[in-house]
Amino acid sequence: MSELRSQLDTLIAQTELTVSEQQRDQLVGYVAMLDKWNKAYNLTSVRDPQDMLVKHIMDSIIVSTHLDGERFIDVGTGPGLPGIPLSIMNPDKQFVLLDSLGKRIRFIKQVLHELKIENVTPVQSRVEEYQPEDKFDGVLSRAFASMTDMVEWCHHLPKPSSGCFLALKGQLPQSEIEQLPQWCSVTDIKALNVPQLEGERHLVILSRKE
């Protein structure tokens, strides 16, 4: 654990993020649990905990400064990415983590229990069947689907006038942007710099046209 912690400290030092001692402990604790459960549940193709720090933790928390609003949903969260790292970074915001697979939701519930994370609600459901009364400020997706599929399947989730979609992508997906439906437009594209991660990362912010 101490080795992971020192590596995390090194990675965070290469960003402008502010991360408390408790948050760092929780992030490392999450990686340790992911590593442990992965052996039995096959939650991620990334096997090495040190790789998880870069490819899962840093790749998720680098988006933290771009979350405007109070309520977020992570669709197709898998083992809780980017939802768990972002919830650790933003204890004042509320997150719903949605996935259709029971083993992933069971893992997330255990993470919340062991790491004492109190601002996450795990939900087992297909996204098109999930009909929340309260809509969201932001709909997050990472490695979930193409942006066209994302906005079509999740169109009922953001707040009508102010909600947005936040797609975490690698290279800028120009072809996906061109295929977006008429009602949806790109409002911002942010190039992300993830320490020690090979390849490009982008955050594409989309919203409903007025």
Side-chain angles (χ1 to χ4, degrees):
M1 288 283 273
S2 61
E3 194 178 321
L4 282 178
R5 173 60 198 267
S6 60
Q7 190 194 354
L8 179 66
D9 291 345
T10 303
L11 290 165
I12 289 171
Q14 296 171 51
T15 72
E16 294 180 354
L17 295 168
T18 305
V19 192
S20 71
E21 290 293 311
Q22 183 190 0
Q23 288 169 323
R24 290 169 194 242
D25 288 345
Q26 286 176 312
L27 291 168
V28 169
Y30 173 60
V31 169
M33 287 186 71
L34 192 53
D35 179 46
K36 185 173 120 184
W37 278 60
N38 205 32
K39 293 175 175 68
Y41 281 80
N42 202 22
L43 297 166
T44 168
S45 59
V46 181
R47 295 285 174 218
D48 182 346
Q50 297 202 334
D51 284 346
M52 289 178 189
L53 280 179
V54 175
K55 293 177 178 173
H56 288 337
I57 301 300
M58 297 307 298
D59 194 47
S60 295
I61 67 174
I62 207 77
V63 179
S64 188
T65 54
H66 304 300
L67 299 185
D68 291 327
E70 301 298 316
R71 272 175 60 74
F72 295 86
I73 181 167
D74 177 12
V75 292
T77 185
L81 295 161
I84 294 279
L86 286 174
S87 71
I88 289 171
M89 292 290 291
N90 298 274
D92 55 331
K93 300 182 190 298
Q94 294 297 317
F95 293 83
V96 169
L97 271 53
L98 187 82
D99 203 274
S100 58
L101 272 186
K103 68 176 183 180
R104 295 173 180 160
I105 295 298
R106 279 195 298 278
F107 170 68
I108 290 168
K109 285 179 176 173
Q110 192 62 30
V111 168
L112 302 179
H113 173 69
E114 286 192 27
L115 301 182
K116 298 181 171 50
I117 298 170
E118 295 174 353
N119 57 330
V120 171
T121 306
V123 175
Q124 184 180 347
S125 171
R126 294 172 61 84
V127 64
E128 54 271 40
E129 293 165 6
Y130 178 62
Q131 300 288 342
E133 284 184 24
D134 290 340
K135 304 295 186 184
F136 296 91
D137 295 304
V139 179
L140 288 152
S141 134
R142 175 183 183 265
F144 167 60
S146 73
M147 287 194 300
T148 312
D149 286 345
M150 177 197 180
V151 299
E152 292 283 14
W153 294 340
C154 306
H155 66 90
H156 58 295
L157 296 175
K159 290 180 179 173
S161 56
S162 59
C164 66
F165 300 93
L166 301 152
L168 283 71
K169 291 287 178 183
Q171 283 185 308
L172 194 59
Q174 203 57 50
S175 60
E176 289 184 26
I177 291 173
E178 288 161 10
Q179 290 166 6
L180 287 169
Q182 287 292 314
W183 57 267
C184 184
S185 64
V186 174
T187 50
D188 205 352
I189 296 171
K190 299 184 185 292
L192 304 172
N193 183 16
V194 183
Q196 296 183 24
L197 186 71
E198 289 179 22
E200 298 176 31
R201 298 299 285 163
H202 290 89
L203 175 66
V204 184
I205 302 175
L206 312 117
S207 62
R208 192 181 289 275
K209 289 178 184 170
E210 291 298 321

